[in-house]
Amino acid sequence: DIVLTQSPGTLSLSPGERATLSCRASQRVNSNYLAWYQQKVGQAPRLLIYGASSRASGIPDRFSGSGSGTDFTLTISRLEPEDFAVYYCQQYAGSPYTFGQGTKLEIK
Amino acid sequence: EVRLVESGGGLEQPGGSLRLSCEASGFTFLSYAMSWVRQAPGKGLEWVSTIRGTGDTTNYADSVKGRFTISRDNSKNTLYLQMNSLRAEDTAIYFCAKFGGYGGFDSWGQGSLVTVAS
């Protein structure tokens, strides 16, 4: 099974700053089948990025994904107040379709 | 507009059974794989199970294998999760999710709370 490790566990930043979230896989993620999700309290997750770097429909261009193989990054170029949430990465290259443990992005 | 609506959650005793349903609309249901993902209180997301569009292929997390069964009725645009031999650690919000055509789970339901306690 592919284990995804996200870092940091919590990231404290201010609106307008740049956020960089990391997701490291225990083995290569084939075809870069790596997704990123945003989840706010009391809500379902929302798909942000698929295929490691493609933005999902309706996602603002301040969100970008990069990486390949075992190391992936979600970058939020300029934080808006609504971006403070928990972010998860997930691999869907093969079952089990594991999630990372999440990174909480909080207001500093 | 894609819409996924879960139902069937509730309180059940350890060892009991529950069946969750997820009614889908706004897309061609049989064309997409569907999944269940759960989230224990205050915890992260855990993938539970996936079923292909035709229903002929299913996958399960080790934590539920042999106890949970995923199925779908494409004539009713409905996804199911039959949960047997429930344990306290199965307590969670259960989300159904649509596998996107390009990857990732691109639509999610609002979730259904399952509580396993005596």
Side-chain angles (χ1 to χ4, degrees), chain A residues 94-105:
Chain A
S95 178
Y97 302 121
T98 44
F99 288 89
Q101 83 280 15
T103 289
K104 182 180 181 181
L105 178 56

Side-chain angles (χ1 to χ4, degrees), chain A residues 30-47:
Chain A
N30 290 333
S31 303
N32 292 332
Y33 283 164
L34 192 287
W36 289 94
Y37 302 87
Q38 177 193 69
Q39 187 180 32
K40 298 180 180 179
V41 174
Q43 296 185 16
R46 176 174 71 146
L47 178 66

Side-chain angles (χ1 to χ4, degrees), chain A residues 37 39 44 50 88 90 95 97, chain B residues 39 44 47 52 59 102 105 109:
Chain A
Y37 302 87
Q39 187 180 32
Y50 63 89
Y88 296 94
Q90 180 208 20
S95 178
Y97 302 121
Chain B
Q39 187 168 37
W47 171 79
R52 297 302 175 195
N59 300 98
Y102 297 102
F105 295 173

Side-chain angles (χ1 to χ4, degrees), chain B:
Chain B
E1 176 194 5
V2 172
R3 185 168 163 81
L4 300 171
V5 180
E6 300 97 336
S7 60
L11 175 63
E12 183 56 65
Q13 293 187 340
S17 298
L18 280 174
R19 188 177 83 153
L20 301 182
S21 300
C22 172
E23 189 170 339
S25 60
F27 65 102
T28 305
F29 184 67
L30 62 85
S31 295
Y32 293 91
M34 296 293 295
S35 298
W36 289 98
V37 175
R38 68 185 181 183
Q39 187 168 37
K43 302 298 184 182
L45 301 172
E46 179 187 14
W47 171 79
V48 172
S49 183
T50 292
I51 185 169
R52 297 302 175 195
T54 56
D56 59 344
T57 302
T58 58
N59 300 98
Y60 297 93
D62 285 346
S63 57
V64 306
K65 200 172 294 183
R67 300 187 299 121
F68 289 11
T69 302
I70 191 171
S71 63
R72 62 193 296 159
D73 185 337
N74 287 340
S75 70
K76 296 181 178 179
N77 287 353
T78 302
L79 175 72
Y80 302 101
L81 185 67
Q82 178 66 44
M83 303 184 293
N84 298 333
S85 302
L86 284 164
R87 305 167 180 168
E89 55 264 36
D90 296 319
T91 294
I93 297 172
Y94 285 73
F95 296 100
C96 69
K98 169 181 167 285
F99 225 124
Y102 297 102
F105 295 173
D106 65 357
S107 297
W108 296 67
Q110 83 288 351
S112 183
L113 178 62
V114 171
T115 303
V116 183
S118 53

